Amino acid sequence: MKLTSLLRAMLTRSFRPFLFESDGDPVLEYGDAERLGLYVHIPFCRSICGFCPYCKTVYEKERSRRYLEALLAEIRRVGEMGKGRREVTSLYFGGGTPALMADELGLITGELKRWFDIGGQIGAELHPEDVTVETLEKLKAAGVTMLSIGIQSFQRDSLERLGRTEPPAKAIAKALRQVPFESVSMDLIFALPGQTADRLKEDIRTAFELGADQIAAYPFIDFTFADNEYRPVPEREKKRMLREITDYCRELGCVRTSVWTFGKPGKPKYSSMTREQFLGFGPSAATLLSDQFKINTFDLESYIARTAAEDLPTALTLRFTGRQRMIYHLFWEAYTTEVDPDNFQRLFARRLEDCFGWELILCRLLGLAKKEPKKDRPGHVYRMTGRGAYYYHFIEQYYTLSYIDRMWNVLGREPFPKELRM
Ligand SMILES: C[S@@+](CC[C@H](N)C(=O)[O-])C[C@H]1O[C@@H](n2cnc3c(N)ncnc32)[C@H](O)[C@@H]1O
Ligand code: SF4
C-alpha cells in the first residue's frame, strides 16, 4: 500500500478510496456556502514550458475570443444557480498566463460582479514578460489588486534547465514602481539540479529588491507527463534548502504566510489555494463545496462545446464522505501553517479535538505542531513548527504525485473520463 493511501485510510478511518465520477449534478448548490472564493482559469501562454503541469495551450486570438464567450456563459450559468447575489471573499485569475487576456479581464470581472459581491482582493498570475506599464494599467483597470509573477529564478543556468529566459529585472522593478499594487508575490522554484543555497538566497533578495512583498518558493516537482530532462535533487538536499530559505526569509524580516510563502508583515498575502470553499471557472478549474469537489474538463474545445449547450463543463465529481471532507479542509488549512478549531466547528458543527484527538496529540508529541493561545481573541490554534512544515512539504509532494499528477494526466488525455479511483 502506498504512503498516501495508508495515510488517507488512517485519517479517514476507512479504506474507501476517493471516487471521482463523471455524472456530476446538472445544478450546483452553493446558496449557503460561507467564505466562498472565486477562481478563473486562463489557459493561454505565449509558449509552453516543458516542466509545467498546468492546463494551457499556445495563445491564438481567435481561440481566445471563442474562449471568452464560453467563459462568460459558464459564469452566467453558475451565477443563475446561486439564488441571489452572493458575497465572495476573493477572486484569483490563474493560468496559463492571464495577462494575455488583459484586455478582456474587465469584461470577465464585470460578469462576475453581476452575480457576486467581491469583498476581498483580486489577484492575477503574470509571466515576467507581462510586467509592463501598459499591461499593469490594464489589470488595474479590470480591478486587479494583487499580482503573482512567475520569476522561477534569476540564474541563467537554472533558467536554461527550465527552458525559460532571464526575467527583465530592471523593467519589472520600474513598471512595479510606476503602477503599484497592494501586494506583489514572486514565484521561485528551488531544488533544481545544480542550484546552490547561496544562489537561491540571491534570488530571494533580488525578488524583494525588485518590489516583491512576498515570495513563493516551490520545490521543483517532476510531473510524470511533463517534459523534463533532469530529475529532482534528493530529499535530504531539499530539506536543507528549505531550512536555508526559511532562515534567510526570517533574517530579511519576513513572516511565513504558508508552507511555501514568506512575506513582509502587514501586506495582504497572495494565496489562491487556501479558501474554505470556492467556485472555479474555465478548463481545469476546480470547485470545492461543503459536500463535493468538482473539476472541469481540461480540453478547451470540449469546454467551449459544453458551455455553448448551457451545460456545466464538469469532468469529474467527488462526493465526500463526512470524514474525507474534514481531512480535505484540514490539509489545506494546515497549508497556512495554522489550524483554527473555530473554523472546523463552524464548518462541521463538531469539535476538532473530538474528531482528531489522537492525531493532534501525535503531531504535538512529534514536534510537528504547537498549541498556542490566539493573539487577538479567546481560544487557541495549532501552529505548525519548522519541522512540521518540512514534513508537510514532503506529504504535499507525495499528494501531488499520487493524486494531482494522476488526475491531471488522465484529464489531459480524456476530456470526460468515466471515473477515477484514488
Ligand atoms: C501558472 S504558473 C505562473 C504564471 C506564468 N504562467 C509564468 O509561468 O510565469 C504557476 C507557478 O507554478 C510553479 N510551477 C510550475 N510548474 C512547476 C513544477 N514542475 N514544480 C514546481 N513548481 C512549478 C511556477 O513557480 C509557476 O510560476
Ligand atoms: S510555467 Fe507559466 S508560461 Fe510556462 S507553460 Fe506553465 S503556465 Fe505557461
Side-chain angles (χ1 to χ4, degrees):
M1 191 185 234
K2 283 199 304 189
L3 175 69
T4 38
S5 312
L6 186 68
L7 201 62
R8 188 202 62 226
M10 271 165 54
L11 294 171
T12 59
R13 305 211 176 122
S14 154
F15 284 100
R16 191 173 152 160
F18 287 121
L19 176 61
F20 295 84
E21 294 169 298
S22 58
D23 58 338
D25 297 326
V27 175
L28 262 187
E29 299 279 352
Y30 62 90
D32 54 0
E34 284 179 29
R35 302 195 187 183
L36 192 66
L38 300 177
Y39 173 77
V40 175
H41 192 77
I42 305 293
F44 299 112
C45 294
R46 289 182 189 82
S47 60
I48 303 300
C49 313
F51 66 93
C52 171
Y54 294 100
C55 169
K56 74 277 166 185
T57 180
V58 173
Y59 177 83
E60 286 167 28
K61 181 113 190 93
E62 171 56 14
R63 252 186 143 193
S64 82
R65 193 195 55 72
R66 290 193 300 122
Y67 175 57
L68 176 66
E69 259 174 53
L71 180 63
L72 295 176
E74 188 194 12
I75 296 171
R76 220 165 22 242
R77 185 91 194 90
V78 174
E80 283 163 0
M81 295 173 186
K83 299 188 189 121
R85 257 175 101 71
R86 295 299 325 277
E87 263 181 40
V88 293
T89 54
S90 58
L91 162 62
Y92 283 92
F93 287 99
T97 307
L100 289 177
M101 288 183 73
D103 288 329
E104 289 86 13
L105 290 194
L107 269 177
I108 302 169
T109 39
E111 184 60 40
L112 286 166
K113 282 179 178 171
R114 279 183 62 203
W115 310 99
F116 304 100
D117 270 327
I118 306 171
Q121 305 282 347
I122 302 184
E125 281 174 10
L126 268 71
H127 186 282
E129 283 178 34
D130 302 321
V131 191
T132 62
V133 170
E134 193 192 350
T135 304
L136 296 188
E137 277 173 348
K138 285 181 188 171
L139 296 179
K140 236 184 173 165
V144 172
T145 57
M146 297 197 299
L147 306 177
S148 161
I149 306 171
I151 297 287
Q152 323 312 352
S153 174
F154 292 103
Q155 314 290 338
R156 198 169 300 161
D157 47 351
S158 295
L159 288 161
E160 264 167 24
R161 281 197 195 93
L162 291 171
R164 305 256 303 203
T165 49
E166 258 177 90
K170 281 192 186 139
I172 291 177
K174 195 167 168 212
L176 289 175
R177 271 198 307 272
Q178 228 168 306
V179 192
F181 283 76
E182 285 185 36
S183 181
V184 176
S185 181
M186 294 192 189
D187 292 345
L188 299 172
I189 297 187
F190 76 95
L192 286 165
Q195 190 184 38
T196 61
D198 282 345
R199 290 289 193 82
L200 196 55
K201 287 185 197 169
E202 213 178 296
D203 279 355
I204 295 173
R205 199 182 54 238
T206 309
F208 284 116
E209 279 169 7
L210 296 188
D213 302 299
Q214 171 183 298
I215 59 122
Y218 297 118
F220 167 67
I221 296 185
D222 185 18
F223 287 87
T224 54
F225 54 92
D227 186 14
N228 291 311
E229 280 162 21
Y230 47 90
R231 302 279 80 88
V233 303
E235 279 309 315
R236 183 193 297 257
E237 180 66 9
K238 222 178 259 185
K239 185 176 181 179
R240 199 178 58 76
M241 282 187 129
L242 183 60
R243 200 174 39 235
E244 300 251 13
I245 295 171
T246 313
D247 292 346
Y248 187 61
C249 286
R250 291 228 169 90
E251 264 174 48
L252 294 179
C254 295
V255 286
R256 189 173 212 150
T257 43
S258 77
V259 171
W260 286 332
T261 56
F262 299 86
K264 292 184 185 161
K267 280 283 182 177
K269 65 177 174 184
Y270 192 104
S271 173
S272 56
M273 288 184 273
T274 51
R275 287 150 304 141
E276 280 178 7
Q277 303 195 49
F278 48 86
L279 296 173
F281 302 94
S284 80
T287 289
L288 175 69
L289 297 172
S290 61
D291 58 343
Q292 59 180 305
F293 171 92
K294 291 158 80 76
I295 186 157
N296 281 350
T297 182
F298 275 45
D299 183 67
L300 188 53
E301 290 306 325
S302 304
Y303 172 85
I304 293 174
R306 273 273 180 112
T307 44
E310 303 230 326
D311 278 338
L312 292 180
T314 312
L316 291 169
T317 303
L318 163 70
R319 291 179 182 82
F320 290 110
T321 63
R323 215 163 156 94
Q324 281 177 344
R325 183 64 180 91
M326 289 174 182
I327 291 295
Y328 197 94
H329 163 74
L330 289 176
F331 182 77
W332 286 109
E333 192 170 35
Y335 171 84
T336 66
T337 72
E338 185 182 298
V339 170
D340 183 340
D342 293 341
N343 290 338
F344 189 90
Q345 175 90 37
R346 185 170 39 74
L347 281 169
F348 303 108
R350 302 272 308 273
R351 278 187 71 239
L352 173 65
E353 284 84 355
D354 291 344
C355 298
F356 292 94
W358 73 261
E359 287 89 347
L360 289 168
I361 292 173
L362 197 65
C363 282
R364 290 169 68 193
L365 283 176
L366 293 174
L368 306 178
K370 283 188 208 156
K371 187 173 171 176
E372 281 182 0
K374 281 187 189 169
K375 287 195 183 90
D376 43 354
R377 291 156 289 152
H380 62 272
V381 293
Y382 292 93
R383 186 171 309 287
M384 197 182 268
T385 59
R387 184 189 173 94
Y390 167 69
Y391 283 101
Y392 186 98
H393 250 274
F394 189 68
I395 290 172
E396 157 70 31
Q397 275 186 77
Y398 245 83
Y399 162 83
T400 302
L401 289 171
S402 309
Y403 292 101
I404 298 185
D405 184 286
R406 210 177 130 215
M407 176 182 277
W408 290 7
N409 198 353
V410 170
L411 286 166
R413 285 183 277 115
E414 288 176 65
F416 298 104
K418 196 159 166 17
E419 67 167 40
L420 198 56
R421 277 168 199 272
M422 299 207 269

